[in-house]
Amino acid sequence: MVSLLETNPDKTWDVAVVGGGATGLGIALDAVSRGYRTILLEKSDFAGGTSSRSTKLVHGGVRYLAQGDILLVIEALKERGLMLKNAPHLTSNQDFIIPLYTWFDVILYSVGLKFYDILAGRLSLGKSYFINREKTLSGLPNIRKDGLKGGVIYHDGQFDDARLALNLARVCAGMGGTVLNYFAVTQLLKNEKGQIKGIKATDIDKGREYEVYSKAVINATGVFADEILRLDDPSARHIIKPSQGIHLVVDRSFLQGDSAIMIPKTDDGRVLFAIPWYDKVVIGTTDTPVENIDHEPIPLKEEINFILKTAGRYLVKAPEEKDILSVYAGLRPLAADPENPHSTKEISRRHKIIVSKSNLISVTGGKWTTYRCMAEETIDRAIKTGLLENRKCKTEKLQLESVDDTSMDGRLKIYGKGAHTIIEMIKENPELVKPLNGSLPYTKAELKWICRNEMPLRLEDLLSRRTRALILDAKASLDVAPSAAAIMAEELGFDNEWVKDQVEKYIILAEKYLAKDLC
């Protein structure tokens, strides 16, 4: 893909997207599917930030319903249904149980979740209903029994966030778009009238600079949106008010069932989830305002303790610090009021689209579930601004992968059609079926296929996002790092020095995911 820039330095694109997270990739796919010449540049790896560190839910937002934000819930429920239809290999219908300990809560959540069902309409994933104490304990064997009145079952979606991001990148490239990771945008190019005509970007690995000319330039950099705005105007006001959320990953034994738990009331006002995910349990999240934005945010001790303490109130067998397999943090790019950046009144999960005087289009806020409609609205705004000719959105029914073989019902279905290739690789060489580590499911065949098809350039890319080894079990990922790096080197033509350097850097990274080093 880099060769496209090298061989066509004077090419003018229709859309240049800065940022390769959920929002940026969604915009790039929307644009290329409408027929626009599209390029995306990401300064690290695809979904290298917040977009790979979510709660792994595709949901309407039960808590937003409680806050009265009906329009946000309706929008998210529609997009939830579309995502499950368009990416069935990476999403699933997950049932949740809310354990209830007062009769008032029984009435409140039974009625509230019926309304949630109604708002979902024809894209509903299943009806909610009350279950008695015995059935609640059957579904949640590890839940606290004292005072339990029963529970309410409802449905939401679950997904693999990083792999969906990679899927968006692959589909975009397959439709003719150019998507580049490890390309840093350093300057916005403008004409004599001060209107943006493109961007200057640097290939981080090769150190080479490129000028990319485009009719529309879109800032979709999440928590880093203010940095791009200041490239446009050094006096630009802050539009991002970041909030940190962390998640703990523990063994499946702390759930003891297939249903997820939703705890509707915590000390900080957020809900808490405990969700089965890849044979582990993800517990989160927190909501901590932060001032400093870092590409690799560090979970705070008090955040870890908050989740452990809250889980301990509801679980008979409660996780302790020693039980944490991995802890990860992400920064929510909450959209603040540019006129009053320190006010919390305007902070919202709603997305905002801002067009600067220079015609730079910036997208802020939002969440993974609504990435597709955010992208649609962003390209529509570019059309209304006069930067692009009018073409209709096509992503509402765009299948991200055609997986119709029953053999794809197993774990390998996350690779879509690539699963067939992986299976053939194993048939030709049975040695490739061996897992790299007993605590992780990934085989040599999968790593080889990933190297050949999904653009990993760092060991971190392979172990954190192409596979989810770092998230599932940080210590186990450290154990496989040398062999994984050797496979990458063999497939991508790197030498032993590269292997040594990557393993050393990965050790530094993985230690940030080990709770014992944080508490």
Side-chain angles (χ1 to χ4, degrees):
M1 292 181 183
V2 177
S3 63
L4 289 175
L5 291 179
E6 293 173 342
T7 59
N8 297 280
D10 299 322
K11 178 177 180 177
T12 297
W13 306 82
D14 294 316
V15 177
V17 182
V18 185
T23 304
L25 289 164
I27 291 169
L29 180 58
D30 185 287
V32 76
S33 66
R34 297 194 201 201
Y36 300 122
R37 291 165 296 182
T38 304
I39 185 170
L40 176 145
L41 301 100
E42 163 58 44
K43 70 177 181 179
S44 61
D45 186 28
F46 306 121
T50 304
S51 294
S52 61
R53 308 177 198 194
S54 73
T55 312
K56 319 306 178 193
L57 291 181
V58 189
H59 63 133
V62 172
R63 80 182 185 100
Y64 306 126
L65 183 62
Q67 294 169 357
D69 200 341
I70 305 299
L71 292 179
L72 177 60
V73 175
I74 292 174
E75 177 182 77
L77 286 172
K78 174 188 174 182
E79 295 302 319
R80 179 193 71 174
L82 293 177
M83 192 187 295
L84 265 70
K85 284 179 175 291
N86 294 334
H89 61 305
L90 291 171
T91 61
S92 61
N93 185 335
Q94 176 66 56
D95 66 284
F96 290 73
I97 299 178
I98 305 177
L100 301 172
Y101 293 87
T102 70
W103 290 114
F104 175 80
D105 282 346
V106 168
I107 297 172
L108 177 66
Y109 290 101
S110 295
V111 174
L113 285 165
K114 283 296 181 186
F115 189 43
Y116 194 64
D117 297 341
I118 292 170
L119 293 178
R122 62 182 179 82
L123 292 174
S124 172
L125 301 183
K127 294 182 179 180
S128 63
Y129 55 94
F130 173 76
I131 55 175
N132 62 26
R133 185 176 187 275
E134 289 69 28
K135 289 184 178 179
T136 302
L137 291 173
S138 176
L140 302 175
N142 194 33
I143 201 70
R144 177 170 61 86
K145 301 176 179 62
D146 297 343
L148 181 68
K149 308 301 182 186
V152 174
I153 289 183
Y154 75 98
H155 294 261
D156 255 327
Q158 186 193 72
F159 78 134
D160 186 325
D161 47 10
R163 289 215 56 83
L164 182 56
L166 292 167
N167 205 156
L168 293 174
R170 289 179 59 213
V171 175
C172 182
M175 297 182 75
T178 296
V179 291
L180 302 171
N181 52 351
Y182 296 102
F183 265 71
V185 172
T186 58
Q187 184 180 338
L188 299 177
L189 305 176
K190 298 183 179 181
N191 62 23
E192 63 278 0
K193 295 181 180 180
Q195 302 297 296
I196 290 178
K197 64 178 182 179
I199 54 183
K200 183 176 285 187
T202 300
D203 181 336
I204 293 175
D205 283 348
K206 296 181 179 179
R208 181 172 176 180
E209 274 194 337
Y210 297 88
E211 290 187 349
V212 179
Y213 297 95
S214 179
K215 296 176 183 177
V217 174
I218 299 173
N219 172 17
T221 52
V223 292
F224 299 101
D226 286 333
E227 293 183 10
I228 303 299
L229 281 169
R230 284 193 288 273
L231 288 180
D232 178 41
D233 177 4
S235 64
R237 293 170 175 168
H238 292 275
I239 63 171
I240 294 295
K241 190 71 175 177
S243 171
Q244 177 164 297
I246 77 157
H247 297 80
L248 310 181
V249 180
V250 297
D251 186 76
R252 187 65 176 269
S253 63
F254 289 99
L255 203 53
Q256 298 181 13
D258 295 328
S259 297
I261 303 174
M262 196 272 266
I263 297 170
K265 296 178 182 178
T266 65
D267 292 341
D268 74 345
R270 291 187 63 83
V271 299
L272 190 77
F273 294 101
I275 305 160
W277 193 66
Y278 287 141
D279 207 34
K280 309 292 183 187
V281 177
V282 176
I283 308 176
T285 179
T286 56
D287 187 14
T288 308
V290 294
E291 293 298 327
N292 298 320
I293 296 175
D294 196 301
H295 179 72
E296 194 61 55
I298 304 297
L300 303 175
K301 179 179 180 180
E302 52 264 36
E303 292 180 297
I304 296 172
N305 290 339
F306 168 79
I307 291 180
L308 291 175
K309 179 181 177 182
T310 304
R313 292 177 182 173
Y314 291 88
L315 301 178
V316 176
K317 177 189 175 184
E320 301 175 10
E321 178 192 322
K322 63 180 177 63
D323 300 309
I324 299 173
L325 300 174
S326 184
V327 53
Y328 63 94
L331 298 178
R332 303 180 187 92
L334 302 182
D337 180 4
E339 301 297 324
N340 189 8
H342 299 294
S343 169
T344 58
K345 183 179 179 181
E346 288 295 319
I347 295 174
S348 171
R349 293 311 300 272
R350 285 184 173 277
H351 62 276
K352 294 183 179 180
I353 302 171
I354 300 169
V355 182
S356 303
K357 293 180 180 179
S358 64
N359 281 336
L360 173 68
I361 300 176
S362 298
V363 192
T364 64
K367 57 179 184 172
W368 242 120
T369 303
T370 57
Y371 87 92
R372 192 211 62 82
C373 70
M374 290 169 61
E376 178 180 354
E377 291 177 20
T378 301
I379 296 299
D380 284 347
R381 180 67 66 88
I383 293 171
K384 291 177 182 177
T385 306
L387 300 175
L388 301 172
E389 64 181 74
N390 191 4
R391 297 175 185 172
K392 291 185 178 180
C393 176
K394 298 182 178 180
T395 57
E396 190 166 310
K397 296 181 180 180
L398 179 62
Q399 285 281 316
L400 298 182
E401 192 76 59
S402 56
V403 183
D404 54 9
D405 194 298
T406 55
S407 67
M408 295 302 100
D409 291 338
R411 191 184 61 79
L412 292 181
K413 74 175 185 176
I414 61 174
Y415 302 106
K417 289 179 289 186
H420 295 287
T421 305
I422 294 171
I423 292 170
E424 288 302 314
M425 291 169 64
I426 292 171
K427 287 180 180 178
E428 293 175 8
N429 184 0
E431 282 293 312
L432 297 181
V433 78
K434 293 182 179 179
L436 296 180
N437 180 286
S439 299
L440 297 167
Y442 307 108
T443 64
K444 292 180 180 180
E446 290 168 70
L447 269 59
K448 285 179 173 289
W449 182 88
I450 288 169
C451 290
R452 297 170 188 176
N453 294 276
E454 294 190 333
M455 295 174 63
L457 297 180
R458 311 278 193 275
L459 180 59
E460 173 195 347
D461 303 341
L462 182 64
L463 294 181
S464 180
R465 289 172 290 278
R466 275 46 171 199
T467 70
R468 311 314 308 273
L470 177 60
I471 298 293
L472 293 174
D473 192 326
K475 184 178 183 302
S477 78
L478 281 169
D479 293 339
V480 305
S483 55
I487 290 173
M488 281 191 73
E490 179 185 357
E491 290 292 329
L492 302 177
F494 298 128
D495 58 21
N496 290 335
E497 282 300 312
W498 181 90
V499 171
K500 180 181 177 183
D501 175 66
Q502 286 296 300
V503 171
E504 289 175 352
K505 289 178 178 176
Y506 186 76
I507 290 172
I508 295 172
L509 171 69
E511 286 176 346
K512 298 177 181 178
Y513 289 70
L514 296 170
K516 67 179 181 62
D517 293 331
L518 297 170
C519 294

